[in-house]
Amino acid sequence: MCGIVGIVGTEPVAGRLVEALTRLEYRGYDSAGVATVNEGVLERRRAEGKLFNLQKKLADEPLPGTTGIAHTRWATHGVPNETNAHPHFVEGVAVVHNGIIENFSELRDEMKAEGAVFTSQTDTEVVAHLLAKYTREGLSHRDAMLKMLNRVRGAYALVVLFQDDPNTLLGARSGPPLAIGFGKGETFLGSDAIALSPFTNQIAYMHDGDCAIITHKGAEIMDFAGNPVERPRQISQASAFLVDKGNHRHFMEKEIYEQPEVISHALGHYVDFANHTVNAETGLIDFTGVSRLAISACGTAYLAGLVGKYWFERYARLPVEIDVASEFRYREMPLSPDQAALFISQSGETADTLASLRYCKENGLKIGAVVNVKESTIARESDAVFPILAGPEIGVASTKAFTCQLTVLASLAIAAGRARGTITEAEEKELVRHLTEVPRIMSAVLNSIQGQIEQLSRDLSKVKDVLYIGRGTSFPLAMEGALKLKEISYIHAEGYAAGELKHGPIALIDENMPVIVIAPHDRFFEKTVSNMQEVAARGGKIIFITDAKGAAASNLPTMATIVLPEVDELIAPMVFSLPIQLLAYHTAVFMGTDVDQPRNLAKSVTVE
Ligand code: F6R
């Protein structure tokens, strides 16, 4: 992951580099650094921890210079401390890097044998050493860069500053994104257009295998063999405004409460509210003759895809093959061009999801992207883009992106059902009518359950382990509930298909183990209640998330029963997401963790 930025400017750049880093902090936040050339000398400031620490350091020891590079880190190689923070310096070469150099250990041994002294534990330092060696051997900066790029293997975006050429930066991309920004007499490099948005909206996206040399005059772009390539300039829509928390304590809380509004936006894009039909935006992929649908994604986006699988199979009778992208990409799954594939990603930059997409593309499949960031790599490499329109999601734990992904997938499944003749016009109207009710129902739920969830979270914050169970689409929701709780409260949690309980996890149940049962009164309700009985019989504490009908139908003792409105099976996953998100949120607040930036995580995962 990590965020990188560089500026060839006309005025001191340190402040602007740090400003750009504030927009890239979602990519990592365990240390940060900035380097400039001033009066022919490379200088840097680096600090462990959040960006705030670097800002304090720069306030005490300002950094002059009109050309510079900067980095916010998510550690891969080497612990997050100041020594491992970027930029890395070797003999007048400064490097910032996002990604992983896979052959770094072999290169480091080779350089060490030649006498190089390494000061950090990072993989990045070999890049600086190789560049220093090639320039020592007499190569120009350009040729040293190209030679280095042909030696390193892995996934990387790099920005390099040479002490003896303070008017130039060199950038390269092989995997993680890198964009070039064009200003008035100034040129920029950055991990995304949002980072550069305060400076310019004129952007060219580098492709994999591109190397760029940027100066005050603009950019020269070439492949790694040095052959010139053209990358079109586009006007970026990325907003220059940093979103704020409004009246909320955390971005995550704000994003949970924003869901009715953003789901309305998403619905406005995909359905016709007056006629209760899906609209043309859902038709960008023709599902009529598709024999099978492949879905791939990571984390929460994968769990949205898993809910989608139930919908595509039920409403469109379309078989779905789904896997987490880190497995999908290496499974050597047989594919044929009569299949279609959907890739779900909030950021649109997740490395494994992108690799799965490319695998499907090579096999001739029609590719659809369900993304939040429309300018992302995954969106740009897809045949059809289905934006989820959630707006910027800042909290690392995904909430509104999840329910917007569900909204888009539900619309697509209905569209596929119509195209394949597996649902009638009347059924389409009925399903879309249910979808259009989601924002209103969610608002009502958010207003009604807050107090009860806060109370319950106080108890939950004292436990060590939690189980979540559900059937049908409540099974992926159980996994999502567990993921949310563990990532922000650090309480161990697992989500299981309720029917799987007796195949192993039931052994864990005792009077200290809360079991969260997600069970709307649907086709599976009675079966889930049987599983609840099994938990109760073993002294497990049940937190029952159901609807009024479900609450009336069960008389089992519970630690708490959270009662939601009765809704159609299609929209239950959106509505039932709210209590599991709020439970995780309030539990984490009680425990005093860093809710928006939990330990060890980052919002955009651009390494495998
Ligand atoms: C969990 C979470 C992650 C992401 C995953 C994929 O709350 O946010 O599990 O869902 O890293 O990220 P995207 O959607 O950007 O591909």
Side-chain angles (χ1 to χ4, degrees), residues 537-566:
R538 284 153 186 88
K541 293 192 260 178
I542 295 164
I543 297 173
F544 188 27
I545 307 181
T546 185
D547 51 30
K549 213 167 168 183
S554 158
N555 53 9
L556 283 174
T558 64
M559 182 177 161
T561 300
I562 299 166
V563 183
L564 303 180
E566 286 165 46

PDB file of all heavy atoms in Angstrom, residues 537-566:
ATOM      1  N   ALA A 537     -28.902 -24.582  24.650  1.00  0.00           N
ATOM      2  CA  ALA A 537     -28.754 -25.814  25.431  1.00  0.00           C
ATOM      3  C   ALA A 537     -27.348 -25.938  26.017  1.00  0.00           C
ATOM      4  O   ALA A 537     -27.132 -26.683  26.967  1.00  0.00           O
ATOM      5  CB  ALA A 537     -29.068 -27.014  24.555  1.00  0.00           C
ATOM      6  N   ARG A 538     -26.397 -25.233  25.433  1.00  0.00           N
ATOM      7  CA  ARG A 538     -25.011 -25.321  25.919  1.00  0.00           C
ATOM      8  C   ARG A 538     -24.586 -24.070  26.688  1.00  0.00           C
ATOM      9  O   ARG A 538     -23.398 -23.800  26.884  1.00  0.00           O
ATOM     10  CB  ARG A 538     -24.074 -25.574  24.739  1.00  0.00           C
ATOM     11  CG  ARG A 538     -24.166 -27.004  24.295  1.00  0.00           C
ATOM     12  CD  ARG A 538     -23.831 -27.242  22.850  1.00  0.00           C
ATOM     13  NE  ARG A 538     -24.098 -28.655  22.511  1.00  0.00           N
ATOM     14  CZ  ARG A 538     -25.280 -29.127  22.099  1.00  0.00           C
ATOM     15  NH1 ARG A 538     -26.301 -28.300  21.954  1.00  0.00           N
ATOM     16  NH2 ARG A 538     -25.451 -30.406  21.830  1.00  0.00           N
ATOM     17  N   GLY A 539     -25.581 -23.303  27.061  1.00  0.00           N
ATOM     18  CA  GLY A 539     -25.323 -22.148  27.918  1.00  0.00           C
ATOM     19  C   GLY A 539     -24.825 -20.907  27.188  1.00  0.00           C
ATOM     20  O   GLY A 539     -24.458 -19.908  27.813  1.00  0.00           O
ATOM     21  N   GLY A 540     -24.756 -20.954  25.849  1.00  0.00           N
ATOM     22  CA  GLY A 540     -24.278 -19.792  25.084  1.00  0.00           C
ATOM     23  C   GLY A 540     -25.208 -18.596  25.252  1.00  0.00           C
ATOM     24  O   GLY A 540     -26.415 -18.757  25.440  1.00  0.00           O
ATOM     25  N   LYS A 541     -24.633 -17.392  25.201  1.00  0.00           N
ATOM     26  CA  LYS A 541     -25.456 -16.181  25.354  1.00  0.00           C
ATOM     27  C   LYS A 541     -25.863 -15.710  23.968  1.00  0.00           C
ATOM     28  O   LYS A 541     -24.994 -15.444  23.125  1.00  0.00           O
ATOM     29  CB  LYS A 541     -24.624 -15.081  26.032  1.00  0.00           C
ATOM     30  CG  LYS A 541     -24.287 -15.423  27.463  1.00  0.00           C
ATOM     31  CD  LYS A 541     -23.737 -14.217  28.166  1.00  0.00           C
ATOM     32  CE  LYS A 541     -22.244 -14.274  28.234  1.00  0.00           C
ATOM     33  NZ  LYS A 541     -21.553 -13.215  28.821  1.00  0.00           N
ATOM     34  N   ILE A 542     -27.167 -15.600  23.744  1.00  0.00           N
ATOM     35  CA  ILE A 542     -27.631 -15.285  22.384  1.00  0.00           C
ATOM     36  C   ILE A 542     -27.970 -13.800  22.240  1.00  0.00           C
ATOM     37  O   ILE A 542     -28.695 -13.233  23.065  1.00  0.00           O
ATOM     38  CB  ILE A 542     -28.873 -16.139  22.038  1.00  0.00           C
ATOM     39  CG1 ILE A 542     -28.454 -17.619  21.992  1.00  0.00           C
ATOM     40  CG2 ILE A 542     -29.496 -15.708  20.715  1.00  0.00           C
ATOM     41  CD1 ILE A 542     -29.613 -18.572  22.051  1.00  0.00           C
ATOM     42  N   ILE A 543     -27.432 -13.216  21.199  1.00  0.00           N
ATOM     43  CA  ILE A 543     -27.887 -11.875  20.791  1.00  0.00           C
ATOM     44  C   ILE A 543     -28.651 -12.124  19.497  1.00  0.00           C
ATOM     45  O   ILE A 543     -28.066 -12.566  18.497  1.00  0.00           O
ATOM     46  CB  ILE A 543     -26.699 -10.912  20.584  1.00  0.00           C
ATOM     47  CG1 ILE A 543     -25.955 -10.724  21.902  1.00  0.00           C
ATOM     48  CG2 ILE A 543     -27.182  -9.578  20.017  1.00  0.00           C
ATOM     49  CD1 ILE A 543     -24.665  -9.925  21.781  1.00  0.00           C
ATOM     50  N   PHE A 544     -29.950 -11.890  19.557  1.00  0.00           N
ATOM     51  CA  PHE A 544     -30.845 -12.304  18.475  1.00  0.00           C
ATOM     52  C   PHE A 544     -31.204 -11.066  17.649  1.00  0.00           C
ATOM     53  O   PHE A 544     -31.833 -10.135  18.163  1.00  0.00           O
ATOM     54  CB  PHE A 544     -32.080 -12.913  19.150  1.00  0.00           C
ATOM     55  CG  PHE A 544     -33.054 -13.588  18.239  1.00  0.00           C
ATOM     56  CD1 PHE A 544     -32.662 -14.138  17.027  1.00  0.00           C
ATOM     57  CD2 PHE A 544     -34.404 -13.711  18.614  1.00  0.00           C
ATOM     58  CE1 PHE A 544     -33.572 -14.794  16.207  1.00  0.00           C
ATOM     59  CE2 PHE A 544     -35.321 -14.366  17.805  1.00  0.00           C
ATOM     60  CZ  PHE A 544     -34.901 -14.903  16.602  1.00  0.00           C
ATOM     61  N   ILE A 545     -30.777 -11.061  16.382  1.00  0.00           N
ATOM     62  CA  ILE A 545     -31.131  -9.934  15.501  1.00  0.00           C
ATOM     63  C   ILE A 545     -32.190 -10.457  14.537  1.00  0.00           C
ATOM     64  O   ILE A 545     -31.907 -11.300  13.687  1.00  0.00           O
ATOM     65  CB  ILE A 545     -29.900  -9.392  14.739  1.00  0.00           C
ATOM     66  CG1 ILE A 545     -28.775  -9.052  15.729  1.00  0.00           C
ATOM     67  CG2 ILE A 545     -30.290  -8.176  13.912  1.00  0.00           C
ATOM     68  CD1 ILE A 545     -27.521  -8.490  15.079  1.00  0.00           C
ATOM     69  N   THR A 546     -33.411  -9.977  14.697  1.00  0.00           N
ATOM     70  CA  THR A 546     -34.523 -10.538  13.931  1.00  0.00           C
ATOM     71  C   THR A 546     -35.533  -9.433  13.613  1.00  0.00           C
ATOM     72  O   THR A 546     -35.214  -8.245  13.780  1.00  0.00           O
ATOM     73  CB  THR A 546     -35.166 -11.697  14.742  1.00  0.00           C
ATOM     74  OG1 THR A 546     -36.163 -12.320  13.942  1.00  0.00           O
ATOM     75  CG2 THR A 546     -35.759 -11.237  16.063  1.00  0.00           C
ATOM     76  N   ASP A 547     -36.716  -9.837  13.140  1.00  0.00           N
ATOM     77  CA  ASP A 547     -37.773  -8.844  12.928  1.00  0.00           C
ATOM     78  C   ASP A 547     -38.918  -9.146  13.901  1.00  0.00           C
ATOM     79  O   ASP A 547     -38.831 -10.110  14.682  1.00  0.00           O
ATOM     80  CB  ASP A 547     -38.236  -8.847  11.458  1.00  0.00           C
ATOM     81  CG  ASP A 547     -38.589 -10.231  10.970  1.00  0.00           C
ATOM     82  OD1 ASP A 547     -39.025 -11.065  11.787  1.00  0.00           O
ATOM     83  OD2 ASP A 547     -38.421 -10.501   9.765  1.00  0.00           O
ATOM     84  N   ALA A 548     -39.983  -8.360  13.838  1.00  0.00           N
ATOM     85  CA  ALA A 548     -41.059  -8.499  14.832  1.00  0.00           C
ATOM     86  C   ALA A 548     -41.653  -9.905  14.797  1.00  0.00           C
ATOM     87  O   ALA A 548     -41.890 -10.521  15.840  1.00  0.00           O
ATOM     88  CB  ALA A 548     -42.126  -7.448  14.565  1.00  0.00           C
ATOM     89  N   LYS A 549     -41.841 -10.436  13.596  1.00  0.00           N
ATOM     90  CA  LYS A 549     -42.420 -11.769  13.459  1.00  0.00           C
ATOM     91  C   LYS A 549     -41.483 -12.827  14.066  1.00  0.00           C
ATOM     92  O   LYS A 549     -41.924 -13.743  14.757  1.00  0.00           O
ATOM     93  CB  LYS A 549     -42.640 -12.063  11.973  1.00  0.00           C
ATOM     94  CG  LYS A 549     -43.828 -12.910  11.696  1.00  0.00           C
ATOM     95  CD  LYS A 549     -44.094 -12.826  10.210  1.00  0.00           C
ATOM     96  CE  LYS A 549     -45.097 -13.877   9.780  1.00  0.00           C
ATOM     97  NZ  LYS A 549     -45.302 -13.850   8.351  1.00  0.00           N
ATOM     98  N   GLY A 550     -40.180 -12.645  13.805  1.00  0.00           N
ATOM     99  CA  GLY A 550     -39.183 -13.577  14.334  1.00  0.00           C
ATOM    100  C   GLY A 550     -39.138 -13.516  15.851  1.00  0.00           C
ATOM    101  O   GLY A 550     -39.051 -14.546  16.532  1.00  0.00           O
ATOM    102  N   ALA A 551     -39.206 -12.303  16.401  1.00  0.00           N
ATOM    103  CA  ALA A 551     -39.138 -12.138  17.860  1.00  0.00           C
ATOM    104  C   ALA A 551     -40.345 -12.811  18.513  1.00  0.00           C
ATOM    105  O   ALA A 551     -40.221 -13.467  19.551  1.00  0.00           O
ATOM    106  CB  ALA A 551     -39.094 -10.654  18.210  1.00  0.00           C
ATOM    107  N   ALA A 552     -41.518 -12.674  17.848  1.00  0.00           N
ATOM    108  CA  ALA A 552     -42.729 -13.276  18.424  1.00  0.00           C
ATOM    109  C   ALA A 552     -42.688 -14.800  18.329  1.00  0.00           C
ATOM    110  O   ALA A 552     -43.251 -15.495  19.162  1.00  0.00           O
ATOM    111  CB  ALA A 552     -43.957 -12.732  17.697  1.00  0.00           C
ATOM    112  N   ALA A 553     -41.983 -15.303  17.318  1.00  0.00           N
ATOM    113  CA  ALA A 553     -42.003 -16.758  17.078  1.00  0.00           C
ATOM    114  C   ALA A 553     -41.001 -17.530  17.937  1.00  0.00           C
ATOM    115  O   ALA A 553     -41.025 -18.752  17.939  1.00  0.00           O
ATOM    116  CB  ALA A 553     -41.726 -17.029  15.601  1.00  0.00           C
ATOM    117  N   SER A 554     -40.118 -16.831  18.630  1.00  0.00           N
ATOM    118  CA  SER A 554     -39.131 -17.567  19.430  1.00  0.00           C
ATOM    119  C   SER A 554     -39.253 -17.164  20.898  1.00  0.00           C
ATOM    120  O   SER A 554     -39.369 -15.980  21.216  1.00  0.00           O
ATOM    121  CB  SER A 554     -37.720 -17.243  18.925  1.00  0.00           C
ATOM    122  OG  SER A 554     -36.794 -17.504  19.944  1.00  0.00           O
ATOM    123  N   ASN A 555     -39.221 -18.142  21.770  1.00  0.00           N
ATOM    124  CA  ASN A 555     -39.287 -17.781  23.192  1.00  0.00           C
ATOM    125  C   ASN A 555     -38.013 -18.176  23.929  1.00  0.00           C
ATOM    126  O   ASN A 555     -37.997 -18.343  25.128  1.00  0.00           O
ATOM    127  CB  ASN A 555     -40.533 -18.393  23.856  1.00  0.00           C
ATOM    128  CG  ASN A 555     -40.573 -19.891  23.603  1.00  0.00           C
ATOM    129  OD1 ASN A 555     -39.595 -20.444  23.092  1.00  0.00           O
ATOM    130  ND2 ASN A 555     -41.672 -20.524  23.962  1.00  0.00           N
ATOM    131  N   LEU A 556     -36.935 -18.327  23.176  1.00  0.00           N
ATOM    132  CA  LEU A 556     -35.669 -18.696  23.815  1.00  0.00           C
ATOM    133  C   LEU A 556     -35.129 -17.521  24.619  1.00  0.00           C
ATOM    134  O   LEU A 556     -35.265 -16.367  24.198  1.00  0.00           O
ATOM    135  CB  LEU A 556     -34.640 -19.061  22.738  1.00  0.00           C
ATOM    136  CG  LEU A 556     -34.792 -20.438  22.095  1.00  0.00           C
ATOM    137  CD1 LEU A 556     -33.804 -20.583  20.970  1.00  0.00           C
ATOM    138  CD2 LEU A 556     -34.561 -21.507  23.163  1.00  0.00           C
ATOM    139  N   PRO A 557     -34.491 -17.784  25.760  1.00  0.00           N
ATOM    140  CA  PRO A 557     -33.901 -16.667  26.504  1.00  0.00           C
ATOM    141  C   PRO A 557     -32.717 -16.082  25.723  1.00  0.00           C
ATOM    142  O   PRO A 557     -31.934 -16.832  25.139  1.00  0.00           O
ATOM    143  CB  PRO A 557     -33.409 -17.333  27.795  1.00  0.00           C
ATOM    144  CG  PRO A 557     -33.290 -18.784  27.461  1.00  0.00           C
ATOM    145  CD  PRO A 557     -34.243 -19.085  26.359  1.00  0.00           C
ATOM    146  N   THR A 558     -32.633 -14.768  25.667  1.00  0.00           N
ATOM    147  CA  THR A 558     -31.512 -14.134  24.950  1.00  0.00           C
ATOM    148  C   THR A 558     -30.847 -13.098  25.848  1.00  0.00           C
ATOM    149  O   THR A 558     -31.457 -12.604  26.796  1.00  0.00           O
ATOM    150  CB  THR A 558     -31.992 -13.412  23.666  1.00  0.00           C
ATOM    151  OG1 THR A 558     -32.854 -12.344  24.054  1.00  0.00           O
ATOM    152  CG2 THR A 558     -32.702 -14.338  22.708  1.00  0.00           C
ATOM    153  N   MET A 559     -29.616 -12.773  25.505  1.00  0.00           N
ATOM    154  CA  MET A 559     -28.911 -11.679  26.188  1.00  0.00           C
ATOM    155  C   MET A 559     -29.529 -10.356  25.716  1.00  0.00           C
ATOM    156  O   MET A 559     -29.653  -9.400  26.454  1.00  0.00           O
ATOM    157  CB  MET A 559     -27.445 -11.769  25.761  1.00  0.00           C
ATOM    158  CG  MET A 559     -26.505 -10.799  26.335  1.00  0.00           C
ATOM    159  SD  MET A 559     -24.847 -11.267  25.690  1.00  0.00           S
ATOM    160  CE  MET A 559     -23.967  -9.751  25.972  1.00  0.00           C
ATOM    161  N   ALA A 560     -29.937 -10.335  24.442  1.00  0.00           N
ATOM    162  CA  ALA A 560     -30.643  -9.174  23.878  1.00  0.00           C
ATOM    163  C   ALA A 560     -31.326  -9.613  22.598  1.00  0.00           C
ATOM    164  O   ALA A 560     -30.827 -10.491  21.895  1.00  0.00           O
ATOM    165  CB  ALA A 560     -29.646  -8.057  23.574  1.00  0.00           C
ATOM    166  N   THR A 561     -32.460  -8.988  22.310  1.00  0.00           N
ATOM    167  CA  THR A 561     -33.124  -9.230  21.022  1.00  0.00           C
ATOM    168  C   THR A 561     -33.265  -7.875  20.334  1.00  0.00           C
ATOM    169  O   THR A 561     -33.850  -6.946  20.903  1.00  0.00           O
ATOM    170  CB  THR A 561     -34.513  -9.884  21.224  1.00  0.00           C
ATOM    171  OG1 THR A 561     -34.310 -11.123  21.904  1.00  0.00           O
ATOM    172  CG2 THR A 561     -35.206 -10.146  19.900  1.00  0.00           C
ATOM    173  N   ILE A 562     -32.684  -7.773  19.172  1.00  0.00           N
ATOM    174  CA  ILE A 562     -32.784  -6.507  18.422  1.00  0.00           C
ATOM    175  C   ILE A 562     -33.842  -6.720  17.345  1.00  0.00           C
ATOM    176  O   ILE A 562     -33.704  -7.608  16.497  1.00  0.00           O
ATOM    177  CB  ILE A 562     -31.420  -6.141  17.801  1.00  0.00           C
ATOM    178  CG1 ILE A 562     -30.387  -5.957  18.915  1.00  0.00           C
ATOM    179  CG2 ILE A 562     -31.527  -4.887  16.937  1.00  0.00           C
ATOM    180  CD1 ILE A 562     -28.966  -5.921  18.439  1.00  0.00           C
ATOM    181  N   VAL A 563     -34.899  -5.921  17.421  1.00  0.00           N
ATOM    182  CA  VAL A 563     -36.034  -6.158  16.530  1.00  0.00           C
ATOM    183  C   VAL A 563     -36.049  -5.111  15.407  1.00  0.00           C
ATOM    184  O   VAL A 563     -36.133  -3.911  15.655  1.00  0.00           O
ATOM    185  CB  VAL A 563     -37.356  -6.121  17.324  1.00  0.00           C
ATOM    186  CG1 VAL A 563     -38.532  -6.445  16.400  1.00  0.00           C
ATOM    187  CG2 VAL A 563     -37.296  -7.110  18.474  1.00  0.00           C
ATOM    188  N   LEU A 564     -35.973  -5.593  14.181  1.00  0.00           N
ATOM    189  CA  LEU A 564     -35.986  -4.718  13.005  1.00  0.00           C
ATOM    190  C   LEU A 564     -37.336  -4.869  12.297  1.00  0.00           C
ATOM    191  O   LEU A 564     -38.072  -5.821  12.562  1.00  0.00           O
ATOM    192  CB  LEU A 564     -34.847  -5.114  12.062  1.00  0.00           C
ATOM    193  CG  LEU A 564     -33.435  -5.090  12.661  1.00  0.00           C
ATOM    194  CD1 LEU A 564     -32.405  -5.488  11.626  1.00  0.00           C
ATOM    195  CD2 LEU A 564     -33.092  -3.708  13.205  1.00  0.00           C
ATOM    196  N   PRO A 565     -37.626  -3.973  11.352  1.00  0.00           N
ATOM    197  CA  PRO A 565     -38.900  -4.119  10.627  1.00  0.00           C
ATOM    198  C   PRO A 565     -38.899  -5.381   9.766  1.00  0.00           C
ATOM    199  O   PRO A 565     -37.835  -5.854   9.361  1.00  0.00           O
ATOM    200  CB  PRO A 565     -38.950  -2.873   9.738  1.00  0.00           C
ATOM    201  CG  PRO A 565     -37.834  -1.995  10.168  1.00  0.00           C
ATOM    202  CD  PRO A 565     -36.870  -2.788  10.955  1.00  0.00           C
ATOM    203  N   GLU A 566     -40.108  -5.899   9.491  1.00  0.00           N
ATOM    204  CA  GLU A 566     -40.213  -7.048   8.568  1.00  0.00           C
ATOM    205  C   GLU A 566     -40.031  -6.519   7.152  1.00  0.00           C
ATOM    206  O   GLU A 566     -40.728  -5.590   6.745  1.00  0.00           O
ATOM    207  CB  GLU A 566     -41.593  -7.682   8.684  1.00  0.00           C
ATOM    208  CG  GLU A 566     -41.765  -8.483   9.945  1.00  0.00           C
ATOM    209  CD  GLU A 566     -43.223  -8.799  10.212  1.00  0.00           C
ATOM    210  OE1 GLU A 566     -43.930  -9.219   9.278  1.00  0.00           O
ATOM    211  OE2 GLU A 566     -43.643  -8.591  11.364  1.00  0.00           O
TER     212      GLU A 566
END
